[in-house]
Amino acid sequence: MNITFNEKNRSFKLDTENTSYCIAICDEEGFIGHAYYGTKLEEEPLYLMRTAEPPFVPSKNNRDRGSFMDTFPCEFPGNGLGDYRDGAIEIIDAEGHRAVNFTYDDFRIYDGKDKIDGLPQTFENEGSLDGKSGAKAKSLEIYASDKTLSLKAVLKYTIFEDSDALIRSVKILNESGKDIFLTKVMSASLDMDSENFELLTLHGSWARERQMDFRPIGYGKTSVGSVKGESSHQEHPFMALVENGATQESGRVYGFSFIYSGNFLAQVEKSQFDSVRALMGISPIGFKWELKAGESFQTPEVAMVYSDGGLGKMSRTYHDLYRNHLIRSPYKDKERPILINNWEATYFDFNTEKLLDIARQAKKSGIEMLVMDDGWFGVRNDDNTSLGDWNVNEKKLPGGLKHLVDEVNKIGLKFGIWMEPEMISPDSDLYRAHPDWAFAVPGRVGTRSRNQYVLDLTRPEVLEHTWNSIKTVLSSANIEYLKWDMNRQLTDLGSLGLDKDNQGEIFHRFVLAVYELQERLVNEFPNLLLENCSGGGARFDAGMLYYGPQIWCSDDTDAIERLSIQEGTALIYPLSSMGAHVSDCPNHTVGRVTPFETRGHVALAGTFGYELDITKIPEEDRNMIPEQTAMYHKYHSLVRSGDYYRIASYRENRYYDCYGVVSKDKSEALFTFVQVVGRPNYHSRLIRLAGLKPDAKYRIEGEETELLGKTIMEAGILVSNLWGDYRSKLIHLTEVV
Ligand code: DGJ
């Protein structure tokens, strides 16, 4: 890993173990150009910027300055001065003009990575809450300015010793002496030649999150984004430019993952000259940020990954990056308690006795924690009331939380709780006392969703009140886990705390407030296990992983639906972060009946737990739970820390799914095979596993034969017809030493 500045060429080269990224300063004016991103090179192919070809740089041919601006591969493109591709920044200056363009001033290369304020961020010290500098990262800051406006930009880059990722963000500083507005600031922009790339994104809906979607990149702009105030069920803050024909293990892939949880834009634009410009950042829709003289604005980070080894290598790079440099929780490297959550078991209809019945049976089956979901507070007997009234409902839980938690602890289980801190029900004491605490546009009928409004956390008094509510609940008993939910998106963006010129700041300020609350949470309750959630997986993003090590993947717990949801999620995020539970059948979301064993195998790819009434499920299912909890203990450190390999995708073949993890030293591997649809008159299925040592011998658990890794990967192994739909099998391999 190194970052160098070549004085002669005025160029920067950022080298990770396997990749190079090259930037160069061109022309006397100091245009900052992008030359190359890809497989590691010894040389800098600066000729790729084509500055020696017509239209040439302005110092040689100012007559065609506009053409230069429109073709130059620019590192951080501005607006309104000839580059008609979408830029990375848009402003309104004090005179109302919108032109802006940054040229080079200076740079700094340093060991480590400086902290940024108020945002989730990658860090070099594994697991450190303070992100102190050390030797494991190197950073580059390029200082640039718009010479007319005296507006400065710091283009920030960080690479890590143990990763092929490149972290980027931008800071804008207003040194103009006048107030301006930012109407768009992207975190990263990348200009390259267009080479038959496809765009890979993740789309979805409630209960259908993160489905992989490929599309050709045509001329013009192709984008995904969110304007819902969260990363959303529908589109995901991720995109990849994938070389046509790339597979899991071959082909060039450029991944962009946004470390942010609010509105985003991920866009690729193919120009008239067959170049592509990729942009990623906070969505400019509805964004208008007043940057007063002397103030600065820091964008969230984008993690870029270049892989010359297909999608699989990209995924493994992201998994390691996020495990080693983003997730801070002490649980990151620990086995998570196997939990049982009462949501699908009881919904709102529970009381202390019911929960203790579940806890007692759970304990017998090897489950380690009871999580009490929605409905324990105010008068919340359905989802119409009480959000904001975080006082226990004594009718359901006589003796209060402390009594319940003590009883659960006596049974031998840990206790976890559900909260939805960002919300307020119109039918709540909180709303009756402070109707102005919800976002609202004066004079308009408020848009209810799940009969609730969103708290205006941009106001300090609302944030403080919310923090105190969370703190009071968590301090009132021995609560060791929090499921932080968020069940509606933002609308009616009006805040009484901001004046008219600042209403366009609400979306981002809201996300910053959520981060502030979660930062307080991890500092005040460092041993709490935090699982984020948003109506299932609408806020499953890299931003939230900075605060909690796991996120509820989806409200769809059906084992078959989960295959594609978990495949899309694992494209970027480590398995250790995917909240996955075994639930009852017929499945509450799709009505499908699957074998209990398959449900266990599929949930094993995530954090593992149960979401069912253990006192009521069929006895044969209940009897299988001790076996499943033992299975979790046997495999979970491998699942949590291993390298992920996708072998086959039900999404593509419609018959079966197969994926697995291989330990870092390749001495152990666990693959999961799910036969989604059985086929009559059909032989056993050939699958080629991956990630093993070619020369090592492996034993497949339950079989006599020992095979070389090479044989298993090249010739493959046979999985016999599992007789029936929705059947599954674990394939456990250990190296024979
Ligand atoms: C949505 C979550 O995804 C569910 O698991 C559950 O907690 C409900 N909210 C409760 O309202």
Side-chain angles (χ1 to χ4, degrees):
M1 166 195 70
N2 205 5
I3 304 179
T4 48
F5 177 64
N6 179 326
E7 258 187 79
K8 187 168 149 267
N9 296 334
R10 296 216 295 167
S11 59
F12 300 94
K13 188 158 179 278
L14 297 90
D15 290 325
T16 65
E17 196 184 336
N18 300 297
T19 72
S20 293
Y21 187 95
C22 303
I23 305 164
I25 313 305
C26 305
D27 203 36
E28 285 78 15
E29 284 184 57
F31 295 107
I32 307 170
H34 175 76
Y36 173 78
Y37 186 31
T39 299
K40 190 168 186 171
L41 298 177
E42 284 68 46
E43 297 171 311
E44 297 172 292
L46 302 185
Y47 51 85
L48 293 178
M49 290 187 298
R50 298 186 173 88
T51 47
E53 289 176 21
F56 303 111
V57 290
S59 59
K60 273 200 199 156
N61 176 23
N62 198 33
R63 174 186 178 278
D64 292 317
R65 187 185 183 90
S67 304
F68 166 77
M69 299 298 273
D70 206 21
T71 52
F72 182 61
C74 189
E75 190 60 23
F76 189 67
N79 179 50
L81 294 167
D83 185 348
Y84 289 108
R85 296 162 290 182
D86 271 9
I89 180 160
E90 290 177 14
I91 63 146
I92 304 172
D93 72 18
E95 277 71 46
H97 301 134
R98 290 168 186 257
V100 61
N101 192 40
F102 290 98
T103 51
Y104 176 74
D105 291 324
D106 205 352
F107 75 96
R108 173 167 86 113
I109 294 172
Y110 65 97
D111 284 340
K113 180 174 191 283
D114 288 348
K115 260 195 125 209
I116 55 178
D117 283 342
L119 285 165
Q121 58 203 280
T122 52
F123 50 82
E124 70 167 1
N125 284 358
E126 249 175 72
S128 114
L129 269 174
D130 57 15
K132 271 193 214 129
S133 293
K136 288 205 226 116
K138 247 187 192 289
S139 300
L140 162 69
E141 292 185 344
I142 296 181
Y143 305 113
S145 57
D146 180 304
K147 303 327 185 241
T148 310
L149 296 172
S150 293
L151 195 62
K152 306 240 159 161
V154 185
L155 313 184
K156 302 183 181 190
Y157 304 80
T158 293
I159 51 176
F160 300 99
E161 241 167 25
D162 59 351
S163 173
D164 276 327
L166 171 65
I167 307 300
R168 295 182 58 179
S169 73
V170 175
K171 187 174 185 176
I172 305 295
L173 300 94
N174 182 2
E175 296 185 359
S176 69
K178 297 176 185 169
D179 302 349
I180 66 154
F181 288 99
L182 299 171
T183 52
K184 177 182 187 182
V185 202
M186 294 288 102
S187 298
S189 169
L190 179 68
D191 282 358
M192 300 187 294
D193 276 25
S194 162
E195 290 183 279
N196 208 8
F197 291 123
E198 286 195 304
L199 182 68
L200 166 61
T201 58
L202 299 171
H203 78 94
S205 183
W206 172 77
R208 266 194 283 120
E209 296 89 339
R210 291 174 296 287
Q211 309 285 323
M212 288 168 67
D213 190 40
F214 290 89
R215 72 188 93 172
I217 298 176
Y219 289 100
K221 294 164 209 161
T222 312
S223 69
V224 293
S226 164
V227 289
K228 300 185 169 204
E230 61 171 355
S231 41
S232 91
H233 293 101
Q234 288 73 17
E235 290 172 7
H236 197 71
F238 165 81
M239 67 175 168
L241 274 59
V242 181
E243 183 181 13
N244 215 305
T247 65
Q248 276 297 320
E249 301 307 323
S250 71
R252 299 189 302 133
V253 180
Y254 294 87
F256 300 76
S257 167
F258 198 25
I259 305 178
Y260 186 63
S261 314
N263 291 354
F264 72 91
L265 172 71
Q267 177 176 295
V268 54
E269 179 174 1
K270 184 169 172 181
S271 78
Q272 55 180 327
F273 304 114
D274 282 347
S275 64
V276 285
R277 170 170 291 169
L279 291 175
M280 181 169 268
I282 294 176
S283 174
I285 297 174
F287 176 81
K288 189 178 173 211
W289 190 276
E290 186 176 25
L291 199 65
K292 293 215 163 85
E295 286 183 350
S296 62
F297 183 87
Q298 169 67 51
T299 71
E301 293 183 338
V302 166
M304 285 167 45
V305 168
Y306 169 73
S307 155
D308 59 3
L311 291 172
K313 188 171 173 191
M314 179 198 74
S315 298
R316 289 186 288 279
T317 305
Y318 275 121
H319 290 191
D320 284 343
L321 174 76
Y322 288 159
R323 282 187 293 207
N324 296 331
H325 299 285
L326 181 72
I327 302 173
R328 299 177 291 175
S329 165
Y331 281 96
K332 182 177 65 162
D333 300 321
K334 275 203 228 154
E335 206 168 291
R336 319 281 159 83
I338 302 176
L339 66 84
I340 185 160
N341 176 305
N342 75 311
W343 178 241
E344 287 195 23
T346 64
Y347 295 100
F348 295 95
D349 185 15
F350 62 88
N351 56 26
T352 300
E353 259 332 292
K354 177 73 214 168
L355 294 175
L356 293 180
D357 281 350
I358 292 177
R360 277 186 279 268
Q361 183 58 53
K363 174 68 187 167
K364 285 189 212 152
S365 308
I367 292 170
E368 297 155 322
M369 179 160 74
L370 174 78
V371 174
M372 176 172 66
D373 211 281
D374 195 355
W376 58 267
F377 51 93
V379 284
R380 192 156 164 98
N381 297 316
D382 57 31
D383 57 10
N384 287 303
T385 74
S386 302
L387 294 168
D389 297 345
W390 298 109
N391 46 298
V392 74
N393 179 342
E394 291 265 350
K395 279 199 184 132
K396 284 183 180 177
L397 309 178
L401 266 184
K402 172 107 179 69
H403 170 70
L404 170 68
V405 178
D406 287 349
E407 292 304 307
V408 170
N409 287 167
K410 273 187 217 156
I411 292 170
L413 260 58
K414 295 171 187 287
F415 183 86
I417 203 165
W418 177 99
M419 289 184 82
E420 193 177 0
E422 298 150 74
M423 298 294 153
I424 181 167
S425 302
D427 181 6
S428 66
D429 291 343
L430 186 67
Y431 189 78
R432 282 181 281 276
H434 300 284
D436 58 313
W437 279 15
F439 283 126
V441 177
R444 286 196 178 273
V445 177
T447 309
R448 295 185 186 204
S449 179
R450 211 193 194 204
N451 218 348
Q452 62 198 57
Y453 294 140
V454 183
L455 277 171
D456 180 359
L457 294 173
T458 70
R459 288 170 63 179
E461 63 276 31
V462 183
L463 186 134
E464 288 310 324
H465 172 88
T466 306
W467 169 241
N468 286 330
S469 307
I470 299 168
K471 202 169 142 185
T472 307
V473 170
L474 295 180
S475 312
S476 67
N478 183 24
I479 297 172
E480 300 182 67
Y481 160 108
L482 173 65
K483 177 174 174 186
W484 178 310
D485 205 349
M486 187 229 193
N487 282 300
R488 64 155 293 177
Q489 290 83 34
L490 273 59
T491 56
D492 304 85
L493 288 199
S495 169
L496 288 177
L498 295 167
D499 65 27
K500 78 173 175 30
D501 281 338
N502 304 102
Q503 299 290 323
E505 299 170 14
I506 293 177
F507 273 126
H508 183 52
R509 285 191 185 278
F510 178 79
V511 179
L512 293 180
V514 173
Y515 289 154
E516 165 71 23
L517 287 172
Q518 296 222 339
E519 185 66 29
R520 290 187 191 190
L521 189 68
V522 297
N523 285 307
E524 183 100 10
F525 300 95
N527 296 318
L528 183 84
L529 173 56
L530 171 62
E531 175 155 354
N532 274 299
C533 170
S534 177
R539 207 163 53 182
F540 198 126
D541 57 58
M544 299 313 282
L545 284 180
Y546 184 62
Y547 304 95
Q550 62 195 57
I551 304 175
W552 184 228
C553 217
S554 174
D555 275 343
D556 196 333
T557 51
D558 171 65
I560 303 307
E561 287 294 307
R562 273 291 180 125
L563 294 175
S564 54
I565 296 171
Q566 293 181 184
E567 179 186 8
T569 308
L571 187 68
I572 318 163
Y573 306 106
L575 305 190
S576 58
S577 65
M578 297 198 307
H581 296 165
V582 175
S583 62
D584 198 11
C585 278
N587 177 268
H588 293 197
T589 313
V590 289
R592 186 182 277 126
V593 177
T594 53
F596 200 74
E597 183 184 44
T598 304
R599 286 176 256 160
H601 287 167
V602 173
L604 186 65
T607 55
F608 198 77
Y610 292 85
E611 183 109 5
L612 40 72
D613 188 343
I614 195 169
T615 66
K616 287 198 183 142
I617 57 170
E619 205 174 335
E620 58 188 286
D621 290 355
R622 190 165 42 242
N623 291 342
M624 226 184 270
I625 295 180
E627 225 175 89
Q628 287 185 338
T629 54
M631 165 187 82
Y632 168 82
H633 291 301
K634 179 170 174 192
Y635 295 127
H636 211 265
S637 77
L638 174 61
V639 173
R640 206 176 52 245
S641 59
D643 285 334
Y644 168 78
Y645 287 87
R646 166 64 48 181
I647 305 300
S649 171
Y650 155 62
R651 173 184 55 83
E652 281 169 358
N653 64 41
R654 310 313 297 164
Y655 283 104
Y656 67 102
D657 215 60
C658 185
Y659 51 86
V661 278
V662 180
S663 64
K664 290 279 176 193
D665 67 0
K666 298 187 181 296
S667 65
E668 191 187 2
L670 179 73
F671 288 88
T672 306
F673 179 91
V674 181
Q675 175 174 291
V676 179
V677 182
R679 287 184 100 183
N681 197 17
Y682 197 76
H683 302 298
S684 53
R685 193 172 289 280
L686 169 75
I687 47 165
R688 292 191 179 87
L689 302 184
L692 307 174
K693 284 190 270 193
D695 306 337
K697 280 251 178 207
Y698 291 90
R699 181 175 302 121
I700 303 177
E701 194 175 319
E703 291 182 19
E704 294 295 305
T705 44
E706 291 173 2
L707 291 170
L708 283 172
K710 188 169 184 187
T711 312
I712 298 170
M713 294 191 291
E714 295 299 329
I717 59 167
L718 296 174
V719 180
S720 51
N721 192 332
L722 297 175
W723 186 249
D725 295 346
Y726 317 138
R727 302 280 153 178
S728 63
K729 180 181 162 82
L730 294 183
I731 303 160
H732 183 222
L733 298 98
T734 39
E735 186 181 352
V736 184
V737 277

